[in-house]
Amino acid sequence: MKHKKTERIVDILNTIEDQLKKCHISTPRLDAEVLVGHYVNRDRSALYRNGDYRPTDEELQGLQTGVARRIKGEPIAYITGIKEFFSLEFEVNHHVLIPRPETEILVEEILRLIGNKTLQRGKILEIGTGCGAISIALATELTQFYFFAADISQKALTVAKRNARRNGVAERIFFLCGNLLESLSEQFDIIVSNPPYISDEEFKHISFEIRNHEPRTALIAGPDGTEFHQALIRNGGPHLRKGGWLIMEMGYGQWETIERLLRESQKYDYIRCQYDYAGIERVATARRR
Ligand SMILES: C[S@@+](CC[C@H](N)C(=O)[O-])C[C@H]1O[C@@H](n2cnc3c(N)ncnc32)[C@H](O)[C@@H]1O
C-alpha cells in the first residue's frame, strides 16, 4: 500500500500495523514501530513524541520496501540490519544467525563462573561465533580476558569483526576461520559454543522465517541435533586447562544425551544444566577434571 506524502507518522504506523496483521505477522504493532523507526531514523518512543512528522519521499520509499520484505516473512533484524543482544547493538545479515535472547543465559553463566572463581585474566575460546555476539558481550564485561572466536564461515567472521570494532573490543578478540577445534593447538580457560543444534527432522518443521532466511550452516546438526556437542565434548578436553569450563547451548530434549556423553567421556566433573525462562534445558556446563 502506498502512503500519501501528507500522512503523519502515527497514521502510517496504524496502516502498517493493519497490513502486517492481515498477513498474519505475530507482532504487527512492534514490527510496524521498528520498521517506521528504522526508515525515519528515530527510536520507538520518538515516533510518538513526533507523531505529526511527515516522512520524506525517500523515507517512504524505504519503508515500503521494508514492509514488503517483512510481509514475505523476512525476519525484522535482517531488514533493519541490527539486533540488540546483552544491551549492545550488533550488525546482522544473511550470513549470520540472529542472536537469540536465550543465548544471554550462556553469557551470564560464564560471568557467574568467573565471578565465583575470582579469576582475573584468561583466555576464552568460542566455537561458532556468527555475528560475534557471545564473545563481544563477554569482552565488554571481562576486560582482562582475551578471546579467540572461530567460525567455519568467513562471511560470518567479516560481520563479527565489524561488530567487535563497533563495540570497542576488537583489540582483545582474535577471529579464526576453521572447522570446530581443528586448527587450534592452545589451551583455554573456557570453551563456549552456541553450536548448530536443530535435528534434520526438526528442520523440516521449523518456521518458514528461519528455514528460508537464516544460514543453514548455523542451524542443522545431524539426526538428533547433537553432532556438534558430541565433537566438542570429544575434542574439547585437550584444549581446556585443568579446571577449565566447557559451556554449550542446547535445544529441547538434548540434555539427556549431552549429560550422558559428558559423563561417559570421564574428562569432566561439575556437570550441570541451566534452564531458560520458558523452562527449557538450555545451557550445559562441565568442568575439565
Ligand atoms: C547457532 S549459530 C551461533 C551464532 C552465534 N554464536 C550466536 O549465538 O548467535 C552457529 C554458528 O556455528 C558456525 N559453524 C557451523 N559449523 C561450524 C564448524 N564446523 N566449525 C565452526 N563453526 C561452525 C555457523 O557458521 C554459525 O555461525
Side-chain angles (χ1 to χ4, degrees):
M1 185 189 293
K2 291 223 179 253
H3 300 286
K4 295 186 284 301
K5 194 183 171 199
T6 47
E7 263 186 306
R8 299 173 314 146
I9 231 172
V10 280
D11 304 320
I12 293 174
L13 270 173
N14 292 335
T15 312
I16 294 176
E17 181 187 7
D18 287 345
Q19 278 180 281
L20 297 180
K21 216 183 272 173
K22 278 190 200 125
C23 297
H24 310 291
I25 301 291
S26 60
T27 50
R29 186 69 190 179
L30 176 64
D31 289 12
E33 289 170 350
V34 174
L35 286 169
V36 176
H38 177 69
Y39 287 101
V40 302
N41 202 16
R42 282 169 167 72
D43 64 38
R44 276 169 58 207
S45 60
L47 294 179
Y48 295 99
R49 282 200 308 276
N50 306 323
D52 286 335
Y53 175 73
R54 289 163 206 271
T56 63
D57 284 344
E58 203 184 328
E59 287 169 339
L60 282 177
Q61 241 168 31
L63 186 54
Q64 272 158 16
T65 315
V67 172
R69 286 169 68 181
R70 186 69 194 110
I71 284 172
K72 283 193 195 138
E74 188 169 345
I76 202 124
Y78 288 143
I79 301 171
T80 61
I82 293 289
K83 180 71 185 175
E84 193 183 294
F85 177 82
F86 215 73
S87 304
L88 301 169
E89 269 195 3
F90 290 88
E91 173 195 333
V92 290
N93 65 25
H94 285 273
H95 301 299
V96 299
L97 186 98
I98 300 166
R100 306 297 204 263
E102 57 268 27
T103 301
E104 293 186 0
I105 298 171
L106 200 72
V107 173
E108 281 157 6
E109 170 75 340
I110 294 173
L111 294 178
R112 210 172 10 251
L113 285 171
I114 288 171
N116 289 347
K117 292 277 150 198
T118 59
L119 190 59
Q120 289 306 309
R121 53 187 68 225
K123 286 192 301 186
I124 296 180
L125 169 67
E126 184 192 359
I127 298 294
T129 195
C131 76
I134 296 171
S135 290
I136 292 168
L138 286 168
T140 62
E141 297 283 324
L142 303 170
T143 53
Q144 303 293 316
F145 277 69
Y146 282 88
F147 293 83
F148 295 75
D151 205 289
I152 200 158
S153 159
Q154 187 64 63
K155 288 183 172 155
L157 289 170
T158 303
V159 177
K161 283 177 196 168
R162 284 202 291 269
N163 279 324
R165 284 198 294 276
R166 180 187 195 118
N167 286 291
V169 292
E171 329 75 62
R172 284 184 295 112
I173 306 185
F174 302 98
F175 290 98
L176 319 158
C177 191
N179 180 22
L180 294 171
L181 298 138
E182 260 173 32
S183 51
L184 294 155
S185 52
E186 291 177 69
Q187 281 202 319
F188 299 90
D189 299 286
I190 289 177
I191 298 177
V192 56
S193 185
N194 172 18
Y197 60 72
I198 308 289
S199 70
D200 298 335
E201 189 55 31
E202 261 180 298
F203 188 72
K204 291 184 197 155
H205 309 288
I206 209 161
S207 80
F208 168 85
E209 283 197 19
I210 298 178
R211 194 173 59 243
N212 282 21
H213 293 282
E214 301 209 64
R216 285 178 188 215
T217 41
L219 297 168
I220 304 177
D224 74 348
T226 62
E227 206 166 69
F228 289 85
H229 303 91
Q230 292 180 37
L232 290 168
I233 293 168
R234 207 171 38 242
N235 305 325
H239 295 284
L240 273 173
R241 66 163 182 76
K242 197 172 176 313
W245 297 92
L246 173 62
I247 300 153
M248 299 175 291
E249 185 167 323
M250 62 193 159
Y252 180 77
Q254 294 177 345
W255 169 236
E256 200 180 320
T257 306
I258 290 170
E259 183 187 23
R260 179 175 50 74
L261 292 168
L262 283 164
R263 293 201 189 285
E264 281 174 4
S265 79
Q266 300 190 351
K267 290 185 201 135
Y268 303 93
D269 57 13
Y270 286 96
I271 296 165
R272 66 163 189 260
C273 160
Q274 286 288 103
Y275 291 82
D276 67 17
Y277 305 112
I280 295 170
E281 48 216 23
R282 189 58 67 191
V283 174
T285 303
R287 193 181 71 165
R288 175 84 170 108
R289 281 179 198 265

